Amino acid sequence: MNMDSNTVVLSLLVFLTCAPRCIYSEERHLVKMNLVRNALSLGAYCLDGSLPAYHLDRGFGAGARNWLLQFEGGGWCNDIKSCLDRAQTHRGSTHYMSKVEVFSGILSNNASLNPDFYNWNRVKLRYCDGASFAGDAKFDNGTSLLYFRGQRIWQAIILDLLPKGLGQAKKALLSGCSAGGLATFLHCDNFTNYLPKNASVKCLSDAGFFLDARDIGLNHTMRYFYKDLVALQGVEQNLDKNCTTSNPYPAQCFFPQYALPYIRTPFFILNSAYDVFQFHHALVPPAADPHGHWYHCKLNPAACNAIQIYTLQGFRKYMLETLRFFLNSSRRGGMFINSCFAHCQSELQDTWFAPDSPRVNNKTIAQAVGDWYFGRNISKEIDCAYPCDNTCHNLIG
Ligand SMILES: *[C@@H]1O[C@H](CO)[C@@H](O)[C@H](O)[C@H]1NC(C)=O
Ligand SMILES: *[C@@H]1O[C@H](CO)[C@@H](O)[C@H](O)[C@H]1NC(C)=O
Ligand SMILES: *[C@@H]1O[C@H](CO)[C@@H](O)[C@H](O)[C@H]1NC(C)=O
Ligand SMILES: *[C@@H]1O[C@H](CO)[C@@H](O)[C@H](O)[C@H]1NC(C)=O
Ligand SMILES: *[C@@H]1O[C@H](CO)[C@@H](O)[C@H](O)[C@H]1NC(C)=O
Ligand SMILES: *[C@@H]1O[C@H](CO)[C@@H](O)[C@H](O)[C@H]1NC(C)=O
Ligand SMILES: *[C@@H]1O[C@H](CO)[C@@H](O)[C@H](O)[C@H]1NC(C)=O
Ligand SMILES: *[C@@H]1O[C@H](CO)[C@@H](O)[C@H](O)[C@H]1NC(C)=O
Ligand SMILES: *[C@@H]1O[C@H](CO)[C@@H](O)[C@H](O)[C@H]1NC(C)=O
């Protein structure tokens, strides 16, 4: 099955979400794609065998020696058929990707739109392996060929960037959204290990806290989805060893909630408690709602009935429970768990930092992340439950 956020329902919601405000994208900063030259010798290929790629916008001034790496997101493929389909799209091949990307939100180079990271070296790592940059396997039955080489792609990009200045970084932040936010959990400590010992290295996951939750039919939809993914793409060998040796089901370490206790690098978790992707694919996957009782509620939270709201509140409660140890731990962690119906809030200018962007305790996401990164203030923000937050962009009516 291909889990991709490009479903009709989700695009509709995103459209509704941004419709009145889409004008923010007026000043578009475009950055060109680079293919990774050393990928061939490392066997680091996209699903279809094409070379992997990233986009680099150089830092300047006081930020010239600081680096922000952002994993692109875009779901996963967990069986041969869905991966073969994916290999013929921009999610599985650099041949089909846009060769320029808009750098906005946390990737923006404009100080008034991205006050803390605008002058850093900013890199977008393109996603073309289908397993959050973590697989290492190959499928070849004579007629069909697929490369599951996410882990090598990650490696190849890092090795390419080290001599370009990453190897002398003073400050670094590894971030990512959705499947890329999950990649941040999986690669955070490995990233730290590549950088100078005296550098300040931290990680940020945006909308990557995918829960091992039951769906409305009490089925472990995500658990089975990831189990197949980990097996197909050879992911288990690349998961955190401390986690896999302590867990009776090592593949479960693909879930951030089980991997997080072992991560040593300071971490920030940005997520909506009603993450739209998890709502639509993990809590209420289409198979669990064959009669479409949730159709209107998925399009507009104001159309949810009392039982549906109760179910959504239960999902939020479970997310907060799994994060309790992190909230309470003395480690230099940060979090921003808001109550907006959203998915990925750091890449869009609208939600990252704008006059009317979402806030918790009157703090924007950009402020909360900056306060945490630079140690200006403790940033552990948890929003009140839906529908109390009137700074969200989802609320229709
Ligand atoms: C930065 O963004 C502000 C606010 O949108 C805009 O007024 C300004 O022109 C931008 N600066 C540059 C250099 O693009
Ligand atoms: C190889 O796998 C593909 C996809 O599963 C299948 O369509 C094809 O028939 C297989 N070829 C052989 C020779 O088994
Ligand atoms: C880390 O140490 C190296 C070598 O001593 C030095 O060149 C570099 O400036 C230091 N970096 C930071 C962030 O202090
Ligand atoms: C990062 O992880 C890869 C794969 O596990 C490993 O081969 C590599 O040595 C690690 N790098 C560092 C610097 O620890
Ligand atoms: C539970 O989920 C799995 C994986 O998606 C699916 O194969 C199975 O049919 C589902 N069972 C029910 C009762 O929905
Ligand atoms: C992980 O395991 C290594 C030894 O294999 C140990 O030194 C380290 O402290 C462990 N880390 C955590 C967070 O448990
Ligand atoms: C956090 O820890 C404090 C003191 O250790 C304890 O009193 C409190 O109940 C804990 N809070 C949660 C949410 O676990
Ligand atoms: C919220 O923050 C803004 C600046 O970001 C400030 O102007 C405003 O007064 C604050 N509102 C409250 C209620 O503190
Ligand atoms: C730190 O955060 C607290 C709580 O959000 C706030 O009251 C305080 O003003 C902040 N301090 C600074 C220096 O921003």
Side-chain angles (χ1 to χ4, degrees), residues 1 3 215 217-222 224-225 228 285 287-288:
M1 183 167 58
M3 264 211 198
D215 65 31
L218 303 182
N219 204 343
H220 281 106
T221 292
M222 285 309 278
Y224 290 112
F225 184 86
D228 291 346

Side-chain angles (χ1 to χ4, degrees), residues 4-16:
D4 197 327
S5 42
N6 282 347
T7 60
V8 176
V9 169
L10 193 60
S11 342
L12 233 170
L13 190 95
V14 167
F15 173 73
L16 290 174

Side-chain angles (χ1 to χ4, degrees), residues 42-45 129 131 133-139 146-153 155 229-238:
L42 295 168
Y45 311 109
D129 61 280
F133 295 82
D136 194 1
K138 186 173 153 181
F139 174 80
L146 282 169
Y147 293 96
F148 300 126
R149 295 287 174 78
Q151 178 73 29
R152 296 193 202 201
I153 292 172
Q155 227 66 61
L229 173 66
V230 166
L232 176 75
Q233 296 220 24
V235 171
E236 193 174 309
Q237 58 189 314
N238 297 318

Side-chain angles (χ1 to χ4, degrees), residues 360-361 363 371 376-379 381:
V360 176
N361 293 324
K363 241 187 212 188
D371 282 356
R376 291 190 297 246
N377 205 342
I378 292 170
S379 272
E381 307 289 356

Side-chain angles (χ1 to χ4, degrees), residues 104-303:
S104 62
I106 195 172
L107 291 174
S108 169
N109 64 346
N110 182 329
S112 53
L113 302 176
N114 186 24
D116 286 311
F117 305 105
Y118 73 99
N119 59 357
W120 288 32
N121 296 280
R122 285 151 289 111
V123 187
K124 180 165 196 168
L125 285 66
R126 297 309 294 268
Y127 180 39
C128 64
D129 61 280
S132 289
F133 295 82
D136 194 1
K138 186 173 153 181
F139 174 80
D140 184 359
N141 70 355
T143 53
S144 298
L145 177 60
L146 282 169
Y147 293 96
F148 300 126
R149 295 287 174 78
Q151 178 73 29
R152 296 193 202 201
I153 292 172
W154 157 246
Q155 227 66 61
I157 292 177
I158 290 294
L159 294 177
D160 193 273
L161 292 173
L162 286 172
K164 293 187 172 164
L166 178 63
Q168 285 85 47
K170 280 169 112 170
K171 292 186 164 62
L173 177 61
L174 181 65
S175 80
C177 148
S178 192
L182 176 55
T184 309
F185 287 100
L186 303 177
H187 296 302
C188 181
D189 283 341
N190 190 245
F191 181 59
T192 301
N193 289 339
Y194 279 107
L195 297 187
K197 292 285 165 281
N198 57 354
S200 160
V201 185
K202 305 191 179 191
C203 302
L204 158 68
S205 166
D206 178 9
F209 200 70
F210 295 97
L211 288 170
D212 181 17
R214 288 179 188 241
D215 65 31
I216 53 167
L218 303 182
N219 204 343
H220 281 106
T221 292
M222 285 309 278
R223 187 182 292 182
Y224 290 112
F225 184 86
Y226 281 165
K227 189 165 172 266
D228 291 346
L229 173 66
V230 166
L232 176 75
Q233 296 220 24
V235 171
E236 193 174 309
Q237 58 189 314
N238 297 318
L239 297 174
D240 186 288
K241 295 283 176 296
N242 290 14
C243 181
T244 52
T245 53
S246 326
N247 197 309
Y249 306 101
Q252 296 263 68
C253 294
F254 196 66
F255 278 108
Q257 70 197 74
Y258 306 122
L260 184 59
Y262 300 96
I263 297 176
R264 296 180 303 276
T265 307
F267 211 101
F268 191 103
I269 297 173
L270 162 62
N271 224 99
S272 164
Y274 311 96
D275 181 277
V276 172
F277 181 90
Q278 295 199 62
F279 171 19
H280 292 190
H281 298 273
L283 181 62
V284 191
D289 181 32
H291 303 296
H293 294 311
W294 284 75
Y295 181 79
H296 294 290
C297 172
K298 278 181 169 182
L299 287 179
N300 176 1

